[in-house]
């Protein structure tokens, strides 16, 4: 028999995994900070004006930090001009993250200009030439020693400049050496990152954020679960960055992202997220916040319950729901139910703070928690009456003005 207490535990997702705090500019990731939302520009980095404009657009949409491709030291230097222009445009020093692949010199330069530097262990000091070659244990270990020797001065520089590093493994961009031993598998992704993490830790550097990304949510989830096991075994508490990379666009991209990111969040894992869509980056931000809201990890807006409508529905539910969401969508932490009729409506809105329920043709009943507060309100007045009820119960706040 499942007790009430056990039932409660079945629906409650686990507590968030404890991680250390890593500061990216003014923003903390991990620790007691909310799960952070980030995105990445898709403008050419050398187009400083376009990149700065896009950073500002993303910031105004709700991005708390923005990643920028830095292919070379020249591009890494440009982050200084981009930052200056961003501050001119929005009076805010939006934390900028340098995304580095292949060229370690770009990462060194980015340590001076970015708030965080992302490196990919698959291509930072390792190579992928698709050569099939067997590695003996001795050869494998000597490769890791070679990486450690090359990584040491970079770690020392990051430590000196107090800049955090993200070690991000991607399915599909593992080095020949890792592929040879583990294949293109979640195990390979995790091992690729763990090798780097151990080196950083050996050099007394733990200002790290870790990511496992794949375009297939199942691979992404498997890699993250395995990563957590390994980190727990080795006493590592670095914050985790979640994302389903190359998720696509439209519904497909959103659903894949929600599955991968949402599953891990429900398991208590994740300190910052990026939804990757083949769309303008600012379009990713509302999806990221909706995933956080739906998993209960970060509440930033009103929670709505609305029935799908059926033959019993007493008003235009779709139109009414949109009107209510537009007017009341900013009430963080408030739960509003919009139900077409009272047949199933009352039971199904049990968790709501306020209820807007069809009472008869053209008539709405308004509820506060489970109590009927106003009966048979003409529908044309019902939204205003609902606002008045929300105000009377002390749950109203004025909507924030949108920054232009
Ligand atoms: S709440 Fe009423 S109108 Fe809505 S789906 Fe259920 S029975 Fe139909």
């Amino acid at each position: 028999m499942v007790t009430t207490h056990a039932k409660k535990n079945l629906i409650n997702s686990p507590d968030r995994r404890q991680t250390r705090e890593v500061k990216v500019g003014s923003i903390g990731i991990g620790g007691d900070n909310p799960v952070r939302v980030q995105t990445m520009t898709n403008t050419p980095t050398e187009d400083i004006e376009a990149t700065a404009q896009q950073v500002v657009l993303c910031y105004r949409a709700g991005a708390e930090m923005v990643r920028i491709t830095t292919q070379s030291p020249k591009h890494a230097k440009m982050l200084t001009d981009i930052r200056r222009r961003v501050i001119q445009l929005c009076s805010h020093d939006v934390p900028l993250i340098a995304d580095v692949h292949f060229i370690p010199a770009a990462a060194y330069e980015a340590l001076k200009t970015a708030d965080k530097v992302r490196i990919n262990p698959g291509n930072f000091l390792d190579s992928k030439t698709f050569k099939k070659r067997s590695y003996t244990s001795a050869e494998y270990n000597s490769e890791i020693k070679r990486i450690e020797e090359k990584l040491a001065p970079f770690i020392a520089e990051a430590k000196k400049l107090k800049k955090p590093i993200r070690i991000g493994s991607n399915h599909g961009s593992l080095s020949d050496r890792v592929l040879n031993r583990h294949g293109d598998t979640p195990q390979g992704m995790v091992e690729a990152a763990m090798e780097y993490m151990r080196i950083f830790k050996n050099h007394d550097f733990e200002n790290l954020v870790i990511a496992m990304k794949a375009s297939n949510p199942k691979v992404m989830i498997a890699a993250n679960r395995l990563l957590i096991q390994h980190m727990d075994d080795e006493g590592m508490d670095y914050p985790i960055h979640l994302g389903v990379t190359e998720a696509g666009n439209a519904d497909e991209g959103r659903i894949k992202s929600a599955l991968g990111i949402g599953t891990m969040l429900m398991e208590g894992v994740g300190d910052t997220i990026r939804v990757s869509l083949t769309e303008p980056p600012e379009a990713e931000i509302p999806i990221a916040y909706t995933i956080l809201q739906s998993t209960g990890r970060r509440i930033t807006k009103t929670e709505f319950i609305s029935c799908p409508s059926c033959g019993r529905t007493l008003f235009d539910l779709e139109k009414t729901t949109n009107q209510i969401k537009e007017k009341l969508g900013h009430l963080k932490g408030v739960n509003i139910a919009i139900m077409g009729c009272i047949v199933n409506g009352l039971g199904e809105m049990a968790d709501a703070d306020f209820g807007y329920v069809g009472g008869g043709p053209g008539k709405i009943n308004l509820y506060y928690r489970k109590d009927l507060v106003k009966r048979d309100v003409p529908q044309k007045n019902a939204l205003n009456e609902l606002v008045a009820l929300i105000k009377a119960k002390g749950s109203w706040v004025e909507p924030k003005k949108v920054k232009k």
Side-chain angles (χ1 to χ4, degrees):
M1 191 181 84
V2 180
T3 63
T4 310
H5 180 69
K7 268 188 200 158
K8 197 162 175 272
N9 283 341
L10 283 176
I11 57 166
N12 282 350
S13 48
D15 288 341
R16 188 164 148 211
R17 181 175 183 271
Q18 288 296 304
T19 53
R20 69 177 55 224
E21 184 189 51
V22 168
K23 289 286 261 194
V24 181
S26 58
I27 296 282
I29 298 180
D32 292 330
N33 293 292
V35 180
R36 299 297 189 183
V37 170
Q38 59 175 290
T39 185
M40 184 166 175
T41 53
N42 61 8
T43 48
T45 305
E46 58 272 23
D47 189 340
I48 288 164
E49 182 62 23
T51 304
Q53 293 276 359
Q54 197 172 60
V55 169
V56 171
L57 214 54
C58 294
Y59 164 67
R60 288 186 173 148
E64 296 170 289
M65 54 195 95
V66 178
R67 185 157 44 114
I68 298 175
T69 304
T70 41
Q71 303 96 307
S72 69
K74 189 180 83 179
H75 292 93
K77 278 196 176 91
M78 289 171 187
L79 295 188
T80 302
D81 292 332
I82 293 169
R83 183 189 302 280
R84 192 177 301 125
R85 184 68 182 129
V86 166
I87 294 171
Q88 273 175 3
L89 288 167
C90 71
S91 309
H92 184 72
D93 189 2
V94 180
L96 301 180
I97 304 163
D99 195 65
V100 177
H101 294 265
F102 304 112
I103 300 180
Y108 274 93
E109 192 58 41
L111 286 175
K112 297 179 206 151
T113 59
D115 297 297
K116 181 170 78 164
V117 178
R118 181 268 167 120
I119 57 171
N120 178 345
N123 58 34
F124 188 58
L125 296 168
D126 241 336
S127 64
K128 183 179 167 109
T129 58
F130 296 97
K131 277 187 208 151
K132 286 212 181 290
R133 188 164 96 75
S134 303
Y135 288 78
T136 63
S137 286
E139 283 171 328
Y140 198 96
N141 292 338
S142 96
E143 278 291 287
I144 292 184
K145 199 158 179 303
R146 177 187 67 80
I147 289 170
E148 178 158 10
E149 280 162 12
K150 289 210 160 176
L151 209 46
F154 178 70
I155 296 172
E157 191 68 5
K159 209 189 282 184
K160 191 175 101 195
L161 296 174
K162 297 190 172 53
K163 294 291 172 72
I165 304 295
R166 166 152 75 95
I167 299 174
S169 268
N170 276 22
H171 190 232
S173 69
L174 300 177
S175 68
D176 289 338
R177 182 176 51 76
V178 171
L179 279 174
N180 177 271
R181 180 161 290 190
H182 302 284
D184 198 5
T185 59
Q187 179 78 34
M189 293 165 67
V190 171
E191 273 308 319
M194 288 298 298
E195 288 173 354
Y196 270 56
M197 288 153 70
R198 290 182 194 117
I199 294 171
F200 275 88
K201 195 174 179 195
N202 284 346
H203 289 253
D204 201 23
F205 184 100
E206 302 202 73
N207 203 9
L208 294 173
V209 177
I210 316 298
M212 298 286 123
K213 292 198 183 179
S215 56
N216 181 334
K218 279 168 77 173
V219 175
M220 175 268 191
I221 292 165
N224 274 288
R225 286 176 176 159
L226 199 58
L227 172 73
I228 297 305
Q229 278 176 22
H230 282 252
M231 284 176 65
D232 286 349
D233 288 348
E234 300 193 26
M236 294 173 172
D237 62 353
Y238 311 129
I240 303 293
H241 167 126
L242 297 174
V244 176
T245 191
E246 297 122 17
N249 69 351
D251 290 353
E252 192 180 343
R254 286 160 174 75
I255 291 168
K256 278 189 192 173
S257 298
L259 282 170
I261 297 170
T263 300
M264 294 317 301
L265 289 172
M266 295 290 273
E267 292 180 12
V269 174
D271 302 283
T272 177
I273 67 172
R274 191 244 167 144
V275 171
S276 304
L277 297 179
T278 316
E279 295 180 26
E282 64 273 19
E284 299 172 357
I285 310 303
I287 311 306
Y289 280 105
T290 301
I291 293 172
L292 290 172
Q293 176 103 7
S294 303
T295 52
R297 288 294 173 215
R298 186 166 175 183
I299 306 299
T300 51
K301 53 189 177 180
T302 316
E303 185 72 26
F304 288 102
I305 300 165
S306 59
C307 80
S309 80
C310 72
R312 292 196 185 98
T313 310
L314 291 162
F315 55 89
D316 183 338
L317 204 87
E318 210 178 315
K319 188 171 148 205
T320 305
T321 300
N322 285 334
Q323 286 169 343
I324 295 176
K325 281 179 115 169
E326 195 174 324
K327 183 136 187 157
L328 307 179
H330 63 288
L331 300 174
K332 179 178 167 179
V334 174
N335 198 325
I336 298 175
I338 308 151
M339 310 302 270
C341 77
I342 55 167
V343 174
N344 294 321
L346 291 188
E348 289 167 12
M349 57 173 255
D351 292 335
D353 300 308
F354 298 93
Y356 180 110
V357 181
K363 298 285 166 56
I364 303 298
N365 294 345
L366 297 178
Y367 288 78
Y368 176 61
R369 308 239 159 99
K370 289 188 179 101
D371 297 332
L372 175 59
V373 179
K374 290 206 167 181
R375 185 193 293 276
D376 290 342
V377 179
Q379 204 199 344
K380 63 178 176 24
N381 303 334
L383 180 50
N384 286 341
E385 292 280 350
L386 178 59
V387 171
L389 177 60
I390 293 170
K391 286 181 177 171
K393 298 295 178 188
S395 300
W396 178 258
V397 289
E398 292 300 327
K400 276 193 194 138
K401 291 206 170 66
V402 180
K403 289 176 260 179
K404 291 270 187 273

